[in-house]
């Protein structure tokens, strides 16, 4: 039985994603820093890069399949509220990534085939135990103020074109260990075009993003001219997402492992 139906984006679409970025990149500070007001991509230094290299080894595809493939995991629906949960094994979930290679790529302006976001399970959070606790304990937190006390690190995995549709929550950091992830972010109270609970990110990308009338991608823009901030992040890059910014994600690598550091907003109410 197939639990994980993914759709492919065509090469032209992927090329657009790879080149589109209007979020500033800055070196990750070595000393304590305040949370930014807007999205920022921090570049890791050698000091923390070694810890990330160790995590990359422990989350490599073949290693996970060999050492943890029989472990039960919980995958959640990839829609706005992630209410639907499915139990499977880590091995079955990871091996399902290859199923998308047989799918017909979606064309710009056309609705992709496949299940809604409600029926697309995605491993991001919801898992605890020795494997996940060990990975979280090895993650080098960015040295932001209160991060050590306010932060909760969770790991996730997804195949190409997987991701979560637009949603919102408190501030935090996101990082890719394997693969690549494109981020789409809108400031609070912005009107997100085509926002719908069951809409997958492939559908949103082909139906709304690629048909936008305004598409400018420079760091000087105020969110690409229509409020959109976006960029594709790779290993070594740490994206900061501010409090209650609408955001959706689309994994563009064949095998993607990522970590999210969620921050307890109550630590920052007097600072943000």
């Amino acid at each position: 039985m197939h639990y994980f139906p993914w759709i492919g984006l065509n090469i032209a679409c992927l090329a657009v994603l790879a080149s589109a970025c209007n979020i500033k990149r800055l070196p990750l500070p070595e000393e304590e820093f305040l949370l930014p007001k807007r999205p920022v991509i921090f570049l890791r230094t050698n000091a923390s890069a070694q810890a990330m290299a160790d995590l990359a080894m422990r989350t490599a595809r073949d290693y996970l399949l060999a050492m943890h493939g029989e472990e039960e995991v919980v995958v959640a629906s990839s829609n706005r509220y992630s209410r639907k949960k499915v139990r499977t094994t880590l091995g079955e979930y990871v091996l399902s990534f290859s199923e998308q290679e047989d799918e017909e790529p979606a064309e710009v302006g056309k609705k992709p085939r496949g299940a809604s976001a409600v029926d697309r399970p995605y491993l991001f959070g919801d898992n605890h135990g020795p494997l996940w606790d060990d990975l979280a304990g090895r993650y080098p937190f960015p040295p932001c103020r209160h991060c050590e006390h306010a932060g909760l690190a969770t790991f996730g995995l997804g195949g190409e074109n997987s991701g979560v549709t637009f949603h919102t929550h408190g501030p935090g950091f996101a990082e890719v260990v394997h693969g690549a992830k494109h981020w789409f972010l809108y400031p609070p109270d912005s009107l997100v075009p085509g926002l719908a609970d069951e809409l997958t990110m492939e559908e949103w990308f082909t139906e709304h993003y690629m048909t936008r009338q305004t598409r400018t991608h420079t760091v000087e823009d105020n969110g690409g001219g229509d409020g959109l901030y976006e960029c594709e992040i790779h290993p070594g890059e740490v994206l900061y997402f501010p409090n209650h910014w609408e955001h959706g994600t689309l994994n563009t690598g064949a095998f993607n492992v990522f970590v999210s550091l969620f921050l307890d907003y109550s630590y920052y109410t007097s600072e943000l």
Side-chain angles (χ1 to χ4, degrees):
M1 180 178 295
H2 300 302
Y3 292 107
F4 315 108
W6 303 116
I7 305 300
L9 295 175
N10 64 29
I11 295 176
C13 292
L14 294 176
V16 170
L17 284 176
S19 63
C21 183
N22 58 6
I23 300 178
K24 288 184 178 180
R25 285 181 165 92
L26 300 172
L28 181 65
E30 296 184 3
E31 304 296 330
E32 181 181 272
F33 64 93
L34 298 177
L35 297 182
K37 302 296 184 182
R38 295 182 179 182
V40 175
I41 296 173
F42 292 107
L43 308 179
R44 281 200 178 273
T45 61
N46 292 335
S48 59
Q50 183 57 46
M52 293 305 299
D54 177 67
L55 282 173
M57 178 186 68
R58 295 172 184 274
T59 55
R61 180 182 183 277
D62 290 346
Y63 181 86
L64 288 177
L65 289 175
M67 302 300 295
H68 304 284
E70 297 302 316
E71 292 189 20
E72 184 178 77
V73 294
V74 177
V75 289
S77 56
S78 54
N79 61 319
R80 184 173 178 85
Y81 300 108
S82 303
R83 294 192 182 99
K84 185 176 181 179
K85 311 288 183 180
V86 175
R87 292 185 179 275
T88 183
T89 65
L90 182 60
E92 182 181 2
Y93 177 69
V94 170
L95 290 174
S96 74
F97 299 169
S98 61
E99 295 176 6
Q100 66 190 297
E101 296 177 0
D102 298 325
E103 298 287 350
E104 181 179 346
E107 297 181 18
V108 175
K110 292 187 177 181
K111 186 181 182 67
R113 296 178 294 107
S116 74
V118 176
D119 298 317
R120 287 192 173 188
Y122 186 46
L123 197 160
F124 65 116
D126 289 315
N127 289 282
H128 306 281
L131 169 61
W132 310 106
D133 293 344
D134 178 65
L135 293 176
R138 295 175 183 275
Y139 178 67
F141 284 22
C144 74
R145 181 176 294 184
H146 307 310
C147 263
E148 289 191 7
H149 303 289
L152 174 66
T154 64
F155 279 74
L157 289 84
E160 188 174 18
N161 304 314
S162 62
V164 181
T165 194
F166 282 98
H167 60 287
T168 181
H169 46 63
F173 296 85
E175 188 162 2
V176 170
V177 185
H178 294 281
K181 183 188 293 286
H182 200 95
W183 279 74
F184 307 88
L185 306 102
Y186 284 91
D189 301 322
S190 294
L191 179 62
V192 180
L195 180 63
D197 183 40
E198 296 189 9
L199 196 69
T200 67
M201 283 308 293
E202 294 108 304
E203 290 175 322
W204 182 85
F205 178 78
T206 57
E207 294 179 20
H208 299 284
Y209 178 92
M210 290 298 292
T211 58
R212 291 164 64 216
Q213 296 300 311
T214 303
R215 286 209 308 273
T216 52
H217 304 295
T218 67
V219 294
E220 288 76 20
D221 290 329
N222 180 16
D226 63 356
L228 174 65
Y229 287 74
E230 64 172 311
C231 202
E232 184 175 278
I233 62 172
H234 301 85
E237 299 178 326
V238 187
L239 181 140
Y240 169 71
F241 51 87
N243 186 53
H244 283 301
W245 279 52
E246 289 278 357
H247 57 277
T249 59
L250 189 63
N251 293 308
T252 56
F255 174 74
N256 306 275
V257 178
F258 47 91
V259 56
S260 299
L261 180 63
F262 298 104
L263 301 176
D264 183 345
Y265 183 66
S266 65
Y267 282 81
Y268 302 97
T269 51
S270 62
E271 301 177 3
L272 298 180

